[in-house]
Amino acid sequence: MSMKLTRLISVCCAALALTACEDPEPKLKGAPPDMRRLTETQYENVISDVFGIDVDVAGRFDPLRRTSGLVAVGAREARITPTGFERFYNAAKTVSERVTDAEHRATLIPCTPADAAKADDACARAFMTQTGRLLFRRPLTTAEADYFVKAAGEAAGANGDFYRGLTTSLASMLVTPQFLFVADTTEADPADKSAERLDAYARASRLSFFLWNTTPDETLMAAAEKGELNDSASLARHVDRMMASPRAEVGMRAFFNDFLALEDFDTLEKDPLIYPTFTLEVAENAREQIVKTIIDHVSRGEDYRDIFTTRKTFLTRALARVYRVPIDRTDNGWISYEFAADQNRYGIQSQIALMALYAYPGRSSAVRRGRAVRELLMCQKVPDPPGDVDFSLFTDPNSPSKTARERLTAHINAPACAGCHKITDPIGLSFENFDGAGQYRLTENEAHIDSGGDLNGAPYTGPEGLAQALRNDPATASCVVNRLYSYAVGRSVEQDDTAVVNFLDKGFAASKYKFVELMRKVALSDAFFTVSKPNTTAAASGEMAVATAH
Amino acid sequence: MRVRSQVLSFASAVVLAAPCFAAETGIVHDRRMGFVVKDWFTAVYETKFMDECPEGVSIANDEVWWRRLSRADKDEQTGNGMIQALNRVGVSFLRGRNGEHVCLEPDSVDDPPQRIVEGKLSFGVNLDGDADGKASAKSCAHENFTHPDGTTGIDNQMYRLVGCTYGWRKDVGTVDMNANEMRNTSGLGLILIDVSEVDNPRNDDDVTVTFYRSVDQWVQDSKGAPLPFQTFNIDVVDGKPRYGDSIKGAIKDGVLTTKNGDVRLPWYGNYVFMHPVIRDLTLRLDIDPSGERATGMVAGYYDVEAFTYYIGSLGAVVPVNGINCSSLIKAARELADGYPDPKTGKCTALSSAFDLLAYAAYIRLPAAAATKTAER
């Protein structure tokens, strides 16, 4: 073979490396179409995007149950209780009153009634169909449009006020399942008459909630209407547009909030007498710090695995107090900061957020922290303790054991406990230099803290050793792939998905663990849109009767 | 050679250990550690039965005024008793011979002399270096105290002056307490103590101690104490610190002790802004092993004029603390034991001592100030 030909082949292979030379994506059967209830954040994002008004609903809706490691998966199991419905109705009433009030109606309602004291079906139809398309993420059916126009007319007549009519009708729209649940509406697959596929609007919603954590924008809706989202080249163009948007950060934030179970901050309490530095401001800042650190890291195209070793982060004055570092900022804003090597803050796992979350109100917890690393960062399930476990050896206030390591050693020698503690404690004990509020310490009860540990049998020393061990363990990278895929499709990863997850895992490694690339790859994968045939017609129908919400 | 190697080896270990310890606990950053002063109390030695004040506590300004009034005057001054006692307080200040405010014109009345401390024990330090209290080029004749720990030659004329006035007595006096409260809740005039050139926060034979004023308020914990390790910016004018006098010091087993030096300090309390120069100031600070807080004492010569200005500005603090401005200020002039005026020979400053409680702080200096400190 001539030198020239060898070079040519080499160049060709390099050029094709990301396309032709890559393994094809495995096919999967997919799961039946489903519905997922909007999270509180999604609800707020949608209202803000559709109406341009902010509404704070935090803590007002029934909480979604974390399932298979993600709230996004639990959202498909959500049911609305009578009390929960009342809360949705209250939020809907607040939103609809603001949309139709004198301040907003001129910009949000596309027409003016002939007589503001009477019903005006034409104007009501214009508003309800325009708004309904954005809220239902698809055009309203004729029956739906008729229903909302009629509701607006009846309420306007009863109150002698056109806008009161719109308020009532919009509020009723905001409590429909079509709005509150993102449904996988399907259509017959033209390529396989026996199969179903997501219809264009469901594809748009899936993309939008995955990449932006909100409803599709006008461009995406228009693309869905034109059928562009079924074409791979057009789809790639839209995904790239969405990834380039500032809203992509909103999407990534939503994922990492879910991935790290940061909603637990909503109920985090610390004993102020034991940890006076851990104020409400510190808690709020700590939650933001870990997300900011990750988003900054992955947005710069850094190796995802380095989030476990990075010393780069962001600080506020409140956080600086707890980390015991001077801060070059006079107000309560953020600064970028890099910890010195001897400050022992390596990786997100050593930040206040996870250290404080996985501890007790008045002390640290090696077990909780070890379990959190296994379950959150490595996607490994740790069983709950048996119901009859005897904690007295560990919690005895008169115990001669001064450190958590000594107390746990006494406790885990009990055969019933040893199995789980062997997988949590070696990791958790290496966090013992961080107290229950995440503050660095050298001693506990005046005894020196031994922060040595081991991960899967490989010993290491202290926070830096743990950081390297986590970074180099294949489980941490494959965990984020697994969770991101699960988050994207809104269901747990099943046997059928294994090949696709492995495919994404390999792609992640090939991209040098660039998280943004992984997100793009998931969004462009066939698996992301694949559904099997519905189990029941009602569950996936986009034609659910409006009356069911009333 | 073997002995020398061992010495070198030991020295290296100390050098290596020092920054490691400092960084791990967060006490020292860039070879500096800092403190923000929370409490500043005049050091007053008290006995159970007030033996140090055999004549009792000093008589307050309004009480002196009231005692001297005839019944007819009392009726007139109080609107036949209809004016509340608190409202009469303001009138009592204006009892100079020609209606002068006696706290601003202390010589305008002839009041009974200030009741002063007659005990032998006091907190403080030996500021003038002698044991007998005789006059010298630097001091006027005075009686020395003995420290409760037995140390002789203690100079503390401030204690002698105010120790028998309710306002400075522990638990009942509110002069210092009010000042601390006001300073701490307003964030005005917080004193910052910057310790630089620190190689080891527990033992270091050569550090520099610099005093600044903060422009930042602190965040408090649920018990009202400042959270340690907050960052404070210093008061800067045209890029230079408004304060910033330095003295050398050393740390031994966690106790910082400085040499003597003249230091201009920021001050705010009881609605009074001041910047008194404390001459021959020496600081002792016992730093908690956690590095979070420190207790200690500032001693030095407190300027009589600054003291006079402060007392004259106290307003409503005077009556509620049993102060008689005129008697107190006149006694301050008489008891002054430091820095004789070259012309009159009369001393201009009172030896004094103040108890401190301070919390760990990071002190943010402008670039120019950092250079200036390093040059000292």
Side-chain angles (χ1 to χ4, degrees), chain A residues 169-194:
Chain A
S169 186
L170 178 58
S172 70
M173 182 179 275
L174 287 168
V175 292
T176 56
Q178 290 91 328
F179 169 63
L180 294 174
F181 288 82
V182 182
D184 294 335
T185 48
T186 59
E187 61 188 10
D189 186 348
D192 180 358
K193 297 290 181 195
S194 64

mmCIF file of all heavy atoms in Angstrom, chain A residues 169-194:
data_model
loop_
_atom_site.group_PDB
_atom_site.id
_atom_site.type_symbol
_atom_site.label_atom_id
_atom_site.label_comp_id
_atom_site.label_asym_id
_atom_site.label_seq_id
_atom_site.Cartn_x
_atom_site.Cartn_y
_atom_site.Cartn_z
ATOM 1 N N SER A 169 -62.581 30.639 32.579
ATOM 2 C CA SER A 169 -62.292 29.634 31.565
ATOM 3 C C SER A 169 -60.805 29.252 31.583
ATOM 4 O O SER A 169 -60.451 28.080 31.467
ATOM 5 C CB SER A 169 -62.678 30.185 30.187
ATOM 6 O OG SER A 169 -62.532 29.185 29.224
ATOM 7 N N LEU A 170 -59.923 30.258 31.748
ATOM 8 C CA LEU A 170 -58.480 29.977 31.779
ATOM 9 C C LEU A 170 -58.128 29.150 33.011
ATOM 10 O O LEU A 170 -57.314 28.217 32.937
ATOM 11 C CB LEU A 170 -57.685 31.294 31.778
ATOM 12 C CG LEU A 170 -56.159 31.161 31.858
ATOM 13 C CD1 LEU A 170 -55.611 30.326 30.716
ATOM 14 C CD2 LEU A 170 -55.507 32.549 31.847
ATOM 15 N N ALA A 171 -58.769 29.485 34.142
ATOM 16 C CA ALA A 171 -58.499 28.714 35.364
ATOM 17 C C ALA A 171 -58.885 27.259 35.163
ATOM 18 O O ALA A 171 -58.184 26.340 35.597
ATOM 19 C CB ALA A 171 -59.253 29.325 36.541
ATOM 20 N N SER A 172 -60.016 27.042 34.456
ATOM 21 C CA SER A 172 -60.435 25.654 34.234
ATOM 22 C C SER A 172 -59.472 24.941 33.291
ATOM 23 O O SER A 172 -59.210 23.747 33.424
ATOM 24 C CB SER A 172 -61.868 25.605 33.697
ATOM 25 O OG SER A 172 -61.912 26.093 32.371
ATOM 26 N N MET A 173 -58.889 25.689 32.351
ATOM 27 C CA MET A 173 -57.897 25.088 31.447
ATOM 28 C C MET A 173 -56.635 24.672 32.214
ATOM 29 O O MET A 173 -56.022 23.642 31.940
ATOM 30 C CB MET A 173 -57.541 26.092 30.342
ATOM 31 C CG MET A 173 -56.549 25.570 29.323
ATOM 32 S SD MET A 173 -56.211 26.791 28.032
ATOM 33 C CE MET A 173 -57.553 26.490 26.908
ATOM 34 N N LEU A 174 -56.286 25.506 33.206
ATOM 35 C CA LEU A 174 -55.043 25.259 33.945
ATOM 36 C C LEU A 174 -55.152 24.093 34.935
ATOM 37 O O LEU A 174 -54.157 23.725 35.562
ATOM 38 C CB LEU A 174 -54.617 26.536 34.700
ATOM 39 C CG LEU A 174 -54.054 27.658 33.819
ATOM 40 C CD1 LEU A 174 -53.952 28.968 34.607
ATOM 41 C CD2 LEU A 174 -52.689 27.289 33.258
ATOM 42 N N VAL A 175 -56.356 23.558 35.116
ATOM 43 C CA VAL A 175 -56.473 22.382 35.984
ATOM 44 C C VAL A 175 -56.837 21.128 35.200
ATOM 45 O O VAL A 175 -57.157 20.097 35.777
ATOM 46 C CB VAL A 175 -57.496 22.595 37.139
ATOM 47 C CG1 VAL A 175 -56.979 23.633 38.106
ATOM 48 C CG2 VAL A 175 -58.855 22.983 36.593
ATOM 49 N N THR A 176 -56.782 21.216 33.885
ATOM 50 C CA THR A 176 -57.072 20.023 33.087
ATOM 51 C C THR A 176 -55.881 19.087 33.085
ATOM 52 O O THR A 176 -54.731 19.530 33.206
ATOM 53 C CB THR A 176 -57.376 20.390 31.620
ATOM 54 O OG1 THR A 176 -56.257 21.136 31.113
ATOM 55 C CG2 THR A 176 -58.644 21.184 31.488
ATOM 56 N N PRO A 177 -56.125 17.792 32.940
ATOM 57 C CA PRO A 177 -54.991 16.863 32.821
ATOM 58 C C PRO A 177 -54.133 17.171 31.592
ATOM 59 O O PRO A 177 -52.931 16.916 31.599
ATOM 60 C CB PRO A 177 -55.641 15.495 32.711
ATOM 61 C CG PRO A 177 -57.094 15.681 32.693
ATOM 62 C CD PRO A 177 -57.430 17.112 32.977
ATOM 63 N N GLN A 178 -54.777 17.714 30.541
ATOM 64 C CA GLN A 178 -53.993 18.028 29.345
ATOM 65 C C GLN A 178 -52.880 19.022 29.628
ATOM 66 O O GLN A 178 -51.829 18.985 28.986
ATOM 67 C CB GLN A 178 -54.898 18.601 28.238
ATOM 68 C CG GLN A 178 -55.831 17.586 27.624
ATOM 69 C CD GLN A 178 -57.174 17.544 28.343
ATOM 70 O OE1 GLN A 178 -57.253 17.771 29.555
ATOM 71 N NE2 GLN A 178 -58.231 17.239 27.603
ATOM 72 N N PHE A 179 -53.129 19.937 30.580
ATOM 73 C CA PHE A 179 -52.079 20.887 30.946
ATOM 74 C C PHE A 179 -51.160 20.313 32.013
ATOM 75 O O PHE A 179 -49.942 20.397 31.911
ATOM 76 C CB PHE A 179 -52.694 22.204 31.451
ATOM 77 C CG PHE A 179 -51.680 23.121 32.074
ATOM 78 C CD1 PHE A 179 -50.633 23.642 31.309
ATOM 79 C CD2 PHE A 179 -51.729 23.440 33.427
ATOM 80 C CE1 PHE A 179 -49.669 24.471 31.893
ATOM 81 C CE2 PHE A 179 -50.764 24.267 34.011
ATOM 82 C CZ PHE A 179 -49.738 24.777 33.234
ATOM 83 N N LEU A 180 -51.729 19.731 33.043
ATOM 84 C CA LEU A 180 -50.921 19.317 34.195
ATOM 85 C C LEU A 180 -50.091 18.066 33.923
ATOM 86 O O LEU A 180 -49.115 17.809 34.635
ATOM 87 C CB LEU A 180 -51.832 19.078 35.400
ATOM 88 C CG LEU A 180 -52.530 20.328 35.948
ATOM 89 C CD1 LEU A 180 -53.519 19.949 37.046
ATOM 90 C CD2 LEU A 180 -51.514 21.320 36.493
ATOM 91 N N PHE A 181 -50.478 17.295 32.934
ATOM 92 C CA PHE A 181 -49.723 16.083 32.605
ATOM 93 C C PHE A 181 -49.174 16.193 31.188
ATOM 94 O O PHE A 181 -49.908 16.554 30.263
ATOM 95 C CB PHE A 181 -50.622 14.847 32.696
ATOM 96 C CG PHE A 181 -50.967 14.475 34.112
ATOM 97 C CD1 PHE A 181 -51.999 15.107 34.790
ATOM 98 C CD2 PHE A 181 -50.248 13.487 34.779
ATOM 99 C CE1 PHE A 181 -52.311 14.775 36.101
ATOM 100 C CE2 PHE A 181 -50.556 13.147 36.087
ATOM 101 C CZ PHE A 181 -51.592 13.798 36.744
ATOM 102 N N VAL A 182 -47.895 15.884 31.051
ATOM 103 C CA VAL A 182 -47.294 15.820 29.714
ATOM 104 C C VAL A 182 -47.532 14.403 29.209
ATOM 105 O O VAL A 182 -46.973 13.444 29.749
ATOM 106 C CB VAL A 182 -45.793 16.134 29.760
ATOM 107 C CG1 VAL A 182 -45.199 16.099 28.358
ATOM 108 C CG2 VAL A 182 -45.551 17.497 30.409
ATOM 109 N N ALA A 183 -48.375 14.278 28.202
ATOM 110 C CA ALA A 183 -48.781 12.954 27.733
ATOM 111 C C ALA A 183 -47.996 12.557 26.498
ATOM 112 O O ALA A 183 -47.705 13.385 25.628
ATOM 113 C CB ALA A 183 -50.277 12.957 27.438
ATOM 114 N N ASP A 184 -47.664 11.270 26.423
ATOM 115 C CA ASP A 184 -47.004 10.726 25.229
ATOM 116 C C ASP A 184 -48.071 10.397 24.192
ATOM 117 O O ASP A 184 -48.500 9.243 24.061
ATOM 118 C CB ASP A 184 -46.238 9.446 25.578
ATOM 119 C CG ASP A 184 -45.080 9.710 26.518
ATOM 120 O OD1 ASP A 184 -44.571 10.841 26.536
ATOM 121 O OD2 ASP A 184 -44.680 8.770 27.233
ATOM 122 N N THR A 185 -48.526 11.382 23.472
ATOM 123 C CA THR A 185 -49.531 11.106 22.442
ATOM 124 C C THR A 185 -48.842 10.455 21.247
ATOM 125 O O THR A 185 -47.720 10.806 20.890
ATOM 126 C CB THR A 185 -50.246 12.391 22.011
ATOM 127 O OG1 THR A 185 -49.281 13.389 21.742
ATOM 128 C CG2 THR A 185 -51.162 12.888 23.107
ATOM 129 N N THR A 186 -49.498 9.481 20.672
ATOM 130 C CA THR A 186 -48.854 8.685 19.628
ATOM 131 C C THR A 186 -49.662 8.701 18.340
ATOM 132 O O THR A 186 -50.826 9.136 18.306
ATOM 133 C CB THR A 186 -48.685 7.224 20.097
ATOM 134 O OG1 THR A 186 -49.981 6.695 20.401
ATOM 135 C CG2 THR A 186 -47.794 7.141 21.320
ATOM 136 N N GLU A 187 -49.013 8.189 17.310
ATOM 137 C CA GLU A 187 -49.669 8.019 16.006
ATOM 138 C C GLU A 187 -49.101 6.753 15.390
ATOM 139 O O GLU A 187 -48.074 6.231 15.851
ATOM 140 C CB GLU A 187 -49.372 9.240 15.121
ATOM 141 C CG GLU A 187 -47.887 9.422 14.845
ATOM 142 C CD GLU A 187 -47.571 10.744 14.137
ATOM 143 O OE1 GLU A 187 -48.458 11.592 14.030
ATOM 144 O OE2 GLU A 187 -46.416 10.907 13.720
ATOM 145 N N ALA A 188 -49.739 6.282 14.371
ATOM 146 C CA ALA A 188 -49.245 5.081 13.682
ATOM 147 C C ALA A 188 -47.900 5.401 13.040
ATOM 148 O O ALA A 188 -47.702 6.486 12.490
ATOM 149 C CB ALA A 188 -50.243 4.645 12.613
ATOM 150 N N ASP A 189 -46.980 4.450 13.151
ATOM 151 C CA ASP A 189 -45.643 4.654 12.589
ATOM 152 C C ASP A 189 -45.692 4.318 11.098
ATOM 153 O O ASP A 189 -45.965 3.169 10.727
ATOM 154 C CB ASP A 189 -44.647 3.746 13.314
ATOM 155 C CG ASP A 189 -43.217 4.013 12.885
ATOM 156 O OD1 ASP A 189 -43.020 4.714 11.884
ATOM 157 O OD2 ASP A 189 -42.298 3.503 13.569
ATOM 158 N N PRO A 190 -45.444 5.284 10.213
ATOM 159 C CA PRO A 190 -45.536 5.002 8.777
ATOM 160 C C PRO A 190 -44.541 3.951 8.318
ATOM 161 O O PRO A 190 -44.767 3.238 7.328
ATOM 162 C CB PRO A 190 -45.220 6.351 8.113
ATOM 163 C CG PRO A 190 -45.010 7.346 9.182
ATOM 164 C CD PRO A 190 -45.076 6.664 10.494
ATOM 165 N N ALA A 191 -43.435 3.809 9.073
ATOM 166 C CA ALA A 191 -42.407 2.844 8.667
ATOM 167 C C ALA A 191 -42.773 1.431 9.097
ATOM 168 O O ALA A 191 -42.212 0.455 8.599
ATOM 169 C CB ALA A 191 -41.063 3.234 9.275
ATOM 170 N N ASP A 192 -43.673 1.311 10.042
ATOM 171 C CA ASP A 192 -44.081 -0.005 10.547
ATOM 172 C C ASP A 192 -45.531 0.087 10.994
ATOM 173 O O ASP A 192 -45.834 0.601 12.068
ATOM 174 C CB ASP A 192 -43.167 -0.409 11.715
ATOM 175 C CG ASP A 192 -43.535 -1.765 12.289
ATOM 176 O OD1 ASP A 192 -44.517 -2.369 11.802
ATOM 177 O OD2 ASP A 192 -42.840 -2.209 13.227
ATOM 178 N N LYS A 193 -46.388 -0.384 10.157
ATOM 179 C CA LYS A 193 -47.827 -0.210 10.397
ATOM 180 C C LYS A 193 -48.283 -0.842 11.709
ATOM 181 O O LYS A 193 -49.299 -0.446 12.271
ATOM 182 C CB LYS A 193 -48.638 -0.814 9.246
ATOM 183 C CG LYS A 193 -48.376 -0.136 7.908
ATOM 184 C CD LYS A 193 -48.962 1.266 7.889
ATOM 185 C CE LYS A 193 -48.706 1.924 6.515
ATOM 186 N NZ LYS A 193 -48.923 3.375 6.560
ATOM 187 N N SER A 194 -47.500 -1.802 12.190
ATOM 188 C CA SER A 194 -47.926 -2.473 13.420
ATOM 189 C C SER A 194 -47.464 -1.708 14.669
ATOM 190 O O SER A 194 -47.791 -2.087 15.784
ATOM 191 C CB SER A 194 -47.351 -3.891 13.473
ATOM 192 O OG SER A 194 -45.933 -3.823 13.546
#
